Amino acid sequence: MTAGSRTVRAARTALSAGLLCAVAACGSGAPHARGAQGTQAGGRTAWQEPAAYSYTLRSSGGERTLLGAFRVSVRDGAVVEAVGLDDTARRVVAGTPEAVPTLGQLLAEVERARRAGAATAEADYADDGHPVRIVLDEDDNAVDDEARYDISAYTPTGRG
């Protein structure tokens, strides 16, 4: 065996071991942090927004309209129903229902913040790729510009 073939074999073994570790980690069932970029290889998450789904959103941080807990139903890329689960959210739904976003809109906000050079634009994703937590902070030195979105009870639904 030559030194060159040993190097190739060692590289293949290392690559195989790395792939095995990555595959083994994917089945853990826990949310996966995607770091500051919040993305998988290639710059995009694997998740594609389905035609119809529902989710629970807990929005906190900062001085902004969208605060509180909401149960959201989405169809064809638009919110078709938003229910406030606390007093703050009920006021949002009553006064500015258009402020309640789809998951696609939240992910677009992360990308917009990254392009604008936000101090923080992070997302964590579930195994299937849908977001489970988004944290935004436009400027570390600004007060009350932070936003945190916790996403739970995500359920793709059939079209009714």
Side-chain angles (χ1 to χ4, degrees):
M1 181 179 286
T2 67
S5 64
R6 278 190 293 248
T7 302
V8 170
R9 179 175 281 165
R12 284 184 183 151
T13 300
L15 179 60
S16 295
L19 288 173
L20 182 59
C21 288
V23 170
C26 287
S28 68
H32 297 291
R34 305 290 188 206
Q37 292 304 308
T39 57
Q40 296 173 351
R44 296 194 47 94
T45 62
W47 184 72
Q48 294 294 316
E49 188 171 23
Y53 62 93
S54 61
Y55 74 101
T56 298
L57 174 66
R58 294 199 184 283
S59 177
S60 60
E63 295 278 335
R64 51 202 180 83
T65 302
L66 185 64
L67 294 171
F70 305 84
R71 184 68 188 153
V72 183
S73 297
V74 176
R75 184 167 297 126
D76 297 326
V79 173
V80 293
E81 182 180 34
V83 177
L85 303 178
D86 59 25
D87 287 341
T88 303
R90 283 189 280 278
R91 283 191 295 275
V92 171
V93 170
T96 53
E98 68 279 1
V100 180
T102 67
L103 292 179
Q105 289 168 325
L106 286 174
L107 290 173
E109 181 64 15
V110 172
E111 291 305 315
R112 185 212 56 78
R114 287 183 187 138
R115 284 191 305 276
T120 304
E122 299 175 346
D124 292 336
Y125 299 90
D127 286 341
D128 71 355
H130 82 272
V132 295
R133 184 182 66 89
I134 294 171
V135 178
L136 302 170
D137 186 1
E138 297 292 328
D139 183 348
D140 277 338
N141 297 317
V143 177
D144 291 333
D145 69 330
E146 303 85 3
R148 178 180 172 127
Y149 304 105
D150 292 296
I151 294 123
S152 62
Y154 166 75
T155 308
T157 57
R159 298 177 64 85

